[in-house]
Amino acid sequence: MPDVPRQGARAAFRGWRARRPFWGGLLLALGGGWILLTEKASLKVVMHIGMQGLAGYLLPTLMALLGLLILFNPSQRLFYSITGMLVSLGTWLTSNLGGFFLGLLLGATGCCLAFGWLPDQEPRVSRRKRRKQVRSAAAAHAAAEGVKGPA
């Protein structure tokens, strides 16, 4: 058995999450779920606008499905995010003003995050690590200058 350090569940999840537009897909799915929940609100709360038939349930279901597809198939994120944005905007008319604006905003934000995600981008280095690198480079440079001495 090779001496490979075991990875914990949290580290494995972080690695999986880093390889996909996680927050975009999650927000889009949550937006669809929120709109589906507002469809079940009491009649005193619900504002019946537009067609309340099948489209009122179909569009938020598609939002949740597209959010999950973004999470589990990130290679097609551009198509899913554009389709998700159109569906999110369609809920304005069919599903209680897009779940009283909250579901619409969650879906639109998630689509923008998924659309703008770049898979082969280098991970960001924190300020603390950048400062340490600059200090160590400056110390190495100063040590090299001190070793050389005046010519």
Side-chain angles (χ1 to χ4, degrees):
M1 188 165 179
D3 292 329
V4 178
R6 286 189 50 188
Q7 207 174 13
R10 183 177 174 134
F13 176 71
R14 289 182 73 191
W16 178 82
R17 187 182 71 188
R19 293 187 303 270
R20 59 200 70 246
F22 179 76
W23 293 109
L26 184 67
L27 288 177
L28 181 58
L30 287 176
W34 176 259
I35 294 173
L36 280 173
L37 283 175
T38 61
E39 291 289 323
K40 294 295 184 184
S42 69
L43 290 178
K44 295 177 183 176
V45 176
V46 175
M47 300 168 60
H48 292 285
I49 294 178
M51 50 187 153
Q52 282 292 318
L54 180 64
Y57 293 100
L58 181 66
L59 293 183
T61 305
L62 279 174
M63 282 176 65
L65 179 67
L66 287 169
L68 292 174
L69 284 171
I70 286 173
L71 286 176
F72 294 108
N73 189 10
S75 61
Q76 298 294 322
R77 73 186 185 288
L78 296 176
F79 173 73
Y80 296 146
S81 62
I82 291 171
T83 307
M85 181 62 80
L86 293 174
V87 169
S88 295
L89 292 174
T91 61
W92 173 263
L93 297 174
T94 61
S95 303
N96 299 327
L97 296 174
F100 304 114
F101 302 112
L102 185 61
L104 174 70
L105 289 176
L106 283 172
T109 304
C111 289
C112 290
L113 287 174
F115 189 83
W117 180 75
L118 296 174
D120 23 349
Q121 193 175 29
E122 290 293 322
R124 289 183 57 179
V125 178
S126 69
R127 280 188 192 160
R128 186 174 294 158
K129 287 182 182 178
R130 282 187 301 220
R131 286 180 187 154
K132 281 183 181 178
Q133 290 171 352
V134 168
R135 286 182 190 143
S136 64
H141 182 67
E145 289 294 320
V147 170
K148 282 186 193 176

